[in-house]
Short mmCIF file of all heavy atoms in Angstrom, two decimals:
data_model
loop_
_atom_site.label_atom_id
_atom_site.label_comp_id
_atom_site.label_asym_id
_atom_site.label_seq_id
_atom_site.Cartn_x
_atom_site.Cartn_y
_atom_site.Cartn_z
N VAL A 264 131.82 22.58 108.13
CA VAL A 264 130.81 23.60 107.89
C VAL A 264 131.28 24.98 108.36
O VAL A 264 130.53 25.95 108.25
CB VAL A 264 129.47 23.25 108.60
CG1 VAL A 264 128.98 21.88 108.17
CG2 VAL A 264 129.61 23.32 110.12
N GLY A 265 132.50 25.08 108.88
CA GLY A 265 133.01 26.36 109.37
C GLY A 265 132.81 27.54 108.44
O GLY A 265 132.35 28.60 108.87
N PRO A 266 133.10 27.39 107.13
CA PRO A 266 132.90 28.52 106.21
C PRO A 266 131.46 28.99 106.13
O PRO A 266 131.20 30.17 105.91
CB PRO A 266 133.36 27.94 104.87
CG PRO A 266 134.39 26.93 105.25
CD PRO A 266 133.85 26.29 106.49
N ALA A 267 130.50 28.07 106.32
CA ALA A 267 129.09 28.45 106.23
C ALA A 267 128.71 29.41 107.34
O ALA A 267 127.75 30.19 107.21
CB ALA A 267 128.20 27.19 106.31
N VAL A 268 129.45 29.39 108.45
CA VAL A 268 129.21 30.33 109.55
C VAL A 268 130.10 31.57 109.42
O VAL A 268 129.66 32.69 109.68
CB VAL A 268 129.49 29.62 110.90
CG1 VAL A 268 129.23 30.58 112.06
CG2 VAL A 268 128.61 28.38 111.05
N ALA A 269 131.33 31.36 108.99
CA ALA A 269 132.29 32.48 108.91
C ALA A 269 131.96 33.45 107.78
O ALA A 269 132.13 34.66 107.93
CB ALA A 269 133.70 31.93 108.73
N ILE A 270 131.53 32.93 106.63
CA ILE A 270 131.27 33.80 105.48
C ILE A 270 130.21 34.85 105.78
O ILE A 270 130.44 36.05 105.56
CB ILE A 270 130.90 32.97 104.24
CG1 ILE A 270 132.11 32.18 103.74
CG2 ILE A 270 130.38 33.88 103.12
CD1 ILE A 270 131.78 31.18 102.64
N PRO A 271 129.02 34.47 106.29
CA PRO A 271 128.02 35.50 106.57
C PRO A 271 128.52 36.54 107.57
O PRO A 271 128.20 37.73 107.44
CB PRO A 271 126.85 34.70 107.15
CG PRO A 271 127.01 33.32 106.59
CD PRO A 271 128.50 33.11 106.54
N ALA A 272 129.32 36.10 108.54
CA ALA A 272 129.84 37.05 109.54
C ALA A 272 130.79 38.05 108.89
O ALA A 272 130.69 39.27 109.13
CB ALA A 272 130.56 36.29 110.66
N ALA A 273 131.71 37.57 108.06
CA ALA A 273 132.66 38.46 107.41
C ALA A 273 131.96 39.42 106.44
O ALA A 273 132.30 40.60 106.35
CB ALA A 273 133.71 37.64 106.66
N VAL A 274 130.98 38.90 105.70
CA VAL A 274 130.24 39.72 104.75
C VAL A 274 129.46 40.82 105.49
O VAL A 274 129.42 41.98 105.07
CB VAL A 274 129.29 38.85 103.91
CG1 VAL A 274 128.34 39.73 103.08
CG2 VAL A 274 130.10 37.95 102.99
N LYS A 275 128.86 40.47 106.62
CA LYS A 275 128.12 41.46 107.41
C LYS A 275 129.05 42.52 107.94
O LYS A 275 128.73 43.72 107.92
CB LYS A 275 127.39 40.75 108.56
CG LYS A 275 126.55 41.67 109.41
CD LYS A 275 125.84 40.92 110.52
CE LYS A 275 125.00 41.87 111.40
NZ LYS A 275 124.29 41.13 112.49
N TYR A 276 130.24 42.12 108.45
CA TYR A 276 131.20 43.08 108.97
C TYR A 276 131.62 44.08 107.87
O TYR A 276 131.93 45.24 108.15
CB TYR A 276 132.46 42.37 109.47
CG TYR A 276 132.25 41.51 110.69
CD1 TYR A 276 133.17 40.50 111.00
CD2 TYR A 276 131.16 41.71 111.55
CE1 TYR A 276 132.98 39.70 112.13
CE2 TYR A 276 130.99 40.89 112.66
CZ TYR A 276 131.89 39.90 112.95
OH TYR A 276 131.71 39.10 114.04
N ALA A 277 131.63 43.62 106.63
CA ALA A 277 132.04 44.48 105.51
C ALA A 277 130.91 45.40 105.06
O ALA A 277 131.09 46.23 104.17
CB ALA A 277 132.50 43.62 104.33
N GLY A 278 129.73 45.26 105.66
CA GLY A 278 128.59 46.08 105.28
C GLY A 278 127.97 45.64 103.98
O GLY A 278 127.33 46.44 103.27
N LEU A 279 128.13 44.35 103.65
CA LEU A 279 127.62 43.82 102.39
C LEU A 279 126.61 42.73 102.63
O LEU A 279 126.30 42.36 103.78
CB LEU A 279 128.80 43.25 101.57
CG LEU A 279 129.92 44.22 101.22
CD1 LEU A 279 131.09 43.46 100.60
CD2 LEU A 279 129.43 45.28 100.25
N GLN A 280 126.08 42.20 101.53
CA GLN A 280 125.20 41.05 101.56
C GLN A 280 125.84 39.96 100.71
O GLN A 280 126.69 40.23 99.86
CB GLN A 280 123.83 41.42 101.01
CG GLN A 280 123.12 42.50 101.82
CD GLN A 280 121.81 42.97 101.18
OE1 GLN A 280 121.37 42.41 100.18
NE2 GLN A 280 121.21 43.98 101.77
N ILE A 281 125.42 38.72 100.94
CA ILE A 281 126.00 37.59 100.21
C ILE A 281 125.92 37.81 98.69
O ILE A 281 126.84 37.46 97.95
CB ILE A 281 125.30 36.26 100.59
CG1 ILE A 281 125.63 35.90 102.05
CG2 ILE A 281 125.74 35.14 99.67
CD1 ILE A 281 127.09 35.57 102.30
N ASP A 282 124.83 38.39 98.23
CA ASP A 282 124.66 38.61 96.79
C ASP A 282 125.68 39.60 96.23
O ASP A 282 125.87 39.67 95.00
CB ASP A 282 123.25 39.13 96.49
CG ASP A 282 122.18 38.05 96.66
OD1 ASP A 282 122.56 36.86 96.74
OD2 ASP A 282 120.99 38.40 96.74
N ASP A 283 126.34 40.36 97.09
CA ASP A 283 127.35 41.30 96.64
C ASP A 283 128.66 40.61 96.28
O ASP A 283 129.51 41.18 95.59
CB ASP A 283 127.65 42.35 97.72
CG ASP A 283 126.48 43.29 97.95
OD1 ASP A 283 125.88 43.73 96.96
OD2 ASP A 283 126.18 43.57 99.13
N ILE A 284 128.86 39.39 96.77
CA ILE A 284 130.12 38.67 96.58
C ILE A 284 130.15 38.02 95.19
O ILE A 284 129.28 37.22 94.84
CB ILE A 284 130.34 37.61 97.66
CG1 ILE A 284 130.19 38.25 99.06
CG2 ILE A 284 131.70 36.96 97.50
CD1 ILE A 284 131.13 39.40 99.32
N ASP A 285 131.17 38.38 94.43
CA ASP A 285 131.29 37.87 93.06
C ASP A 285 132.13 36.59 92.97
O ASP A 285 131.98 35.82 92.02
CB ASP A 285 131.95 38.94 92.17
CG ASP A 285 131.17 40.24 92.18
OD1 ASP A 285 130.02 40.24 91.70
OD2 ASP A 285 131.70 41.26 92.66
N LEU A 286 132.99 36.38 93.94
CA LEU A 286 133.93 35.26 93.84
C LEU A 286 134.27 34.71 95.22
O LEU A 286 134.48 35.47 96.16
CB LEU A 286 135.21 35.75 93.16
CG LEU A 286 136.14 34.74 92.50
CD1 LEU A 286 135.43 33.95 91.41
CD2 LEU A 286 137.36 35.46 91.92
#
Side-chain angles (χ1 to χ4, degrees):
V264 305
V268 180
I270 291 171
V274 170
K275 182 179 180 180
Y276 293 160
L279 302 171
Q280 299 174 5
I281 292 294
D282 288 346
D283 292 317
I284 307 303
D285 302 296
L286 201 59

